[in-house]
Amino acid sequence: MSLPLVRLLQLVSPALPVGAYTYSQGLEWAVESGLARTEAQVGEWLADVLAASLACYELPLLHQQIDAWRSGNDARVVELNTLFIASRETAELRAETLQMGYSLVRLLVDLPAFRDLPGWAARLQALVATAGGETAFPAIWSAAAAAWQIDPPDALSGYAWAWLENAVMAAVKAVPLGQAAGQRLLAGLAEQVPAHVTHAMMLPQPCWSNFQPGLALASARHETQYSRLFRS
């Protein structure tokens, strides 16, 4: 097993201390409202988000950020960081990516495997300073992927898997679903990831889109939901 693959496993692990498990990205409201109360409905919801949001916006942007970090184009990293933050339609979604980005910065600059690589900690801290402390999760995650020389297709596949695993586990808790149902969802949705990654890597920026009004409404309504387990 290669070291970059091991590093990727670390980046996508649920043990990564960035608080991803505390967010559902509006799924909890979809469960509460009756839109996602069965295994099939949750699968449909997540497949739509994976196809229309991650594959058409977040993954292409992540790919461009990895490329920018690898090529030394830090100005492009800043530009894409600003763009991603602006794309978060609700206060909860914006707070989520900023909190996770902040947590990952703190981890990486204290992690010898990243900190001791020549120049990388300084570049990361320069991004934080330039962005006024507002760094989105993809901007920081892509820095780790680039520094650890993870191949972009593997990095995007891992990122999509980590999102998917977190989303399914949120559904397991919120619906609730059984563990076997969660594994069926993961197995089925994971089959879609390779095609989405291929699409994302070829998608030019003018074609990027995260137009999902249902997701934005779910997130906005979650902000005033009376009883909730998750922060988004």
Side-chain angles (χ1 to χ4, degrees):
M1 182 179 290
S2 67
L3 182 57
L5 177 56
V6 175
R7 297 298 190 209
L8 176 59
L9 294 175
Q10 183 176 3
L11 272 178
V12 304
S13 169
L16 193 73
V18 295
Y21 69 93
T22 65
Y23 298 103
S24 81
Q25 298 188 343
L27 177 61
E28 186 174 29
W29 180 85
V31 172
E32 178 71 17
S33 66
L35 294 175
R37 285 188 176 172
T38 68
E39 181 180 338
Q41 289 173 334
V42 170
E44 183 177 1
W45 179 275
L46 296 182
D48 285 347
V49 177
L50 183 62
S53 183
L54 255 78
C56 292
Y57 192 85
E58 195 159 345
L59 291 181
L61 183 143
L62 182 73
H63 181 228
Q64 289 284 317
Q65 284 191 313
I66 292 172
D67 195 46
W69 281 115
R70 293 175 72 176
S71 64
N73 189 354
D74 292 7
R76 176 65 170 159
V77 174
V78 173
E79 176 188 343
L80 291 169
N81 179 66
T82 302
L83 185 66
F84 186 79
I85 294 171
S87 76
R88 303 300 88 186
E89 301 97 328
T90 68
E92 284 190 350
L93 291 176
R94 187 178 189 277
E96 174 183 341
T97 197
L98 292 180
Q99 180 273 307
M100 290 175 62
Y102 171 80
S103 297
L104 190 52
V105 168
R106 292 191 62 184
L107 172 66
L108 291 176
V109 298
D110 191 49
L111 200 64
F114 182 90
R115 184 191 64 213
D116 294 345
L117 293 174
W120 278 98
R123 292 177 69 190
L124 198 60
Q125 290 167 332
L127 167 64
V128 173
T130 303
E134 295 195 333
T135 49
F137 183 63
I140 311 307
W141 198 95
S142 61
W148 288 338
Q149 300 180 22
I150 301 169
D151 286 340
D154 293 339
L156 267 61
S157 297
Y159 187 93
W161 168 259
W163 174 86
L164 185 58
E165 185 176 33
N166 186 70
V168 168
M169 291 313 299
V172 167
K173 297 172 187 175
V175 173
L177 296 174
Q179 296 295 327
Q183 290 302 310
R184 284 193 296 269
L185 285 168
L186 281 172
L189 291 165
E191 292 178 356
Q192 303 173 23
V193 168
H196 286 320
V197 167
T198 299
H199 173 73
M201 292 185 67
M202 297 188 299
L203 197 66
Q205 186 170 342
C207 297
W208 296 358
S209 171
N210 67 334
F211 181 68
Q212 270 202 313
L215 178 62
L217 287 171
S219 175
R221 289 174 177 175
H222 184 269
E223 293 175 3
T224 57
Q225 188 170 321
Y226 173 70
S227 177
R228 53 188 185 169
L229 296 172
F230 299 96
R231 297 169 68 183
S232 73

